[in-house]
Amino acid sequence: MKKPKWLEKEKLYNILFESEKPIGRVFDIVLTVMILLSILISFIETIPSLAHTFQFSLEIMEYVFTFFFTLEYVARIYCSPRPRDYALSFFGVIDLLSILPPYLSYFLPNARYMILLRTFRFIRILRIFRLFTLISEGYILMNSLKKSLNKITVYFLFVLILVTCLGTLMYMVESGSPDTKFTDLASSVYWAIVTMTTVGYGDITPVTAIGRLLSAFVMLLGYTIIAVPTGIVTANIIDEVTEKPKEGHCPHCGKKVREEDHYCSNCGGKLPGKSTTIIE
């Protein structure tokens, strides 16, 4: 018996993956609307008055959305030329995480609120409205963060040691005072973190003159070092942007593309391996 046309792998692939084609574009728009509605339902379910009034309707809608997203994920694996590559890709992992919470909620009730992970699927909007250059900019940011990881890790360890020392010093200064809130080292280190990050909850405050002087010093210190990670990432972003890009050509429209591009900024077609598009 011949399969219906919509079950053919090539036809399904055009619907699910080819967002530059009319049928794929329509499907992505419908998918985006359904993601938005499912997230809206999650918010409504946390409002007692609305959740109680529309409990049955909300449950039915959630079952419908879960079935649709599950079917979509299975269909993507079915029609993908390389199912393993899709399953392990960024979009594949996000698609899987977006359908797991309703099933996990049978064992862990609060896990259902992980449905909000579906918000990551809105990244597909970039493909729907042909904002492919933004995807390339996203890769630049990701590469910059990767290059900054070691430096930021060292910086984080330095800050961790610093707040521990400052918290200990404040505990030594304040612990002997009456009505002090610095009753233990853990609370003192917590105060140092809140103060250095300039959050300033105000739930723990010094009462002695020396303690207030130390507190002022920590506040000023926080302003001087809090911008360090931003500077590290910014420097790497500048290096990424100013680095002279190697150019190739899109196999779909023939326009020039950069080596780091994954989609053509002109036609939106997915680019093949770098080795086939780079001009030496």
Side-chain angles (χ1 to χ4, degrees):
M1 183 176 178
K2 189 176 180 181
K3 292 182 180 179
K5 286 188 175 181
W6 65 271
L7 272 179
E8 294 178 1
K9 286 189 176 182
E10 184 178 354
K11 184 71 173 180
L12 270 178
Y13 184 87
N14 291 334
I15 296 173
L16 298 175
F17 289 98
E18 298 293 337
S19 57
E20 65 271 15
K21 295 183 178 180
I23 189 169
R25 185 182 178 88
V26 170
F27 175 80
D28 276 351
I29 292 175
V30 172
L31 177 64
T32 301
V33 172
M34 295 196 71
I35 293 171
L36 180 61
L37 290 175
S38 68
I39 293 172
L40 182 61
I41 288 174
S42 298
F43 278 95
I44 294 176
E45 288 178 340
T46 61
I47 304 175
S49 57
L50 294 178
H52 180 72
T53 304
F54 303 102
Q55 181 178 1
F56 180 75
S57 299
L58 292 174
E59 288 180 356
I60 294 298
M61 292 179 68
E62 182 53 44
Y63 286 137
V64 171
F65 287 136
T66 299
F67 174 77
F68 174 81
F69 292 132
T70 303
L71 185 63
E72 179 221 357
Y73 179 75
V74 173
R76 286 182 184 274
I77 292 180
Y78 167 74
C79 70
S80 176
R82 295 182 293 275
R84 180 182 175 85
D85 290 346
Y86 162 71
L88 297 178
S89 68
F90 173 78
F91 282 117
V93 172
I94 292 300
D95 291 346
L96 177 62
L97 291 177
S98 70
I99 64 174
L100 284 180
Y103 299 109
L104 292 177
S105 63
Y106 290 104
F107 309 98
L108 301 170
N110 289 333
R112 64 195 314 272
Y113 295 110
M114 290 175 61
I115 286 176
L116 296 180
L117 288 171
R118 289 175 183 170
T119 53
F120 282 99
R121 303 193 71 188
F122 280 122
I123 296 175
R124 294 183 186 276
I125 292 176
L126 300 179
R127 301 177 65 181
I128 297 172
F129 296 103
R130 296 181 177 274
L131 302 176
F132 302 98
T133 54
L134 296 184
I135 296 178
S136 298
E137 300 302 328
Y139 280 110
I140 290 177
L141 179 60
M142 288 179 63
N143 290 334
S144 300
L145 290 173
K146 288 179 182 178
K147 291 181 179 180
S148 306
L149 185 59
N150 291 337
K151 294 178 182 178
I152 292 178
T153 301
V154 173
Y155 168 80
F156 175 77
L157 292 175
F158 167 76
V159 172
L160 186 62
I161 294 172
L162 184 60
V163 295
T164 302
C165 294
L166 291 172
T168 302
L169 183 59
M170 182 61 82
Y171 176 74
M172 294 169 59
V173 172
E174 292 284 322
S175 60
S177 303
D179 300 326
T180 183
K181 294 183 179 180
F182 294 85
T183 56
D184 53 73
L185 282 174
S187 298
S188 301
V189 172
Y190 162 77
W191 165 87
I193 295 172
V194 170
T195 305
M196 182 169 289
T197 56
T198 69
V199 175
Y201 289 126
D203 52 343
I204 301 178
T205 54
V207 294
T208 65
I210 297 178
R212 290 173 180 172
L213 183 62
L214 178 59
S215 180
F217 171 75
V218 175
M219 293 176 197
L220 295 175
L221 183 63
Y223 276 111
T224 61
I225 68 173
I226 200 170
V228 172
T230 305
I232 293 173
V233 176
T234 302
N236 282 305
I237 290 177
I238 293 174
D239 291 341
E240 287 280 331
V241 173
T242 56
E243 183 179 356
K244 186 177 180 181
K246 296 180 180 180
E247 292 184 342
H249 289 87
C250 174
H252 307 289
C253 66
K255 298 292 184 179
K256 287 185 177 182
V257 293
R258 297 181 300 179
E259 180 184 18
E260 65 270 18
D261 289 346
H262 290 251
Y263 294 90
C264 176
S265 59
N266 180 63
C267 69
K270 185 172 178 59
L271 301 176
K274 296 178 181 178
S275 60
T276 62
T277 59
I278 300 304
I279 298 177
E280 296 295 335

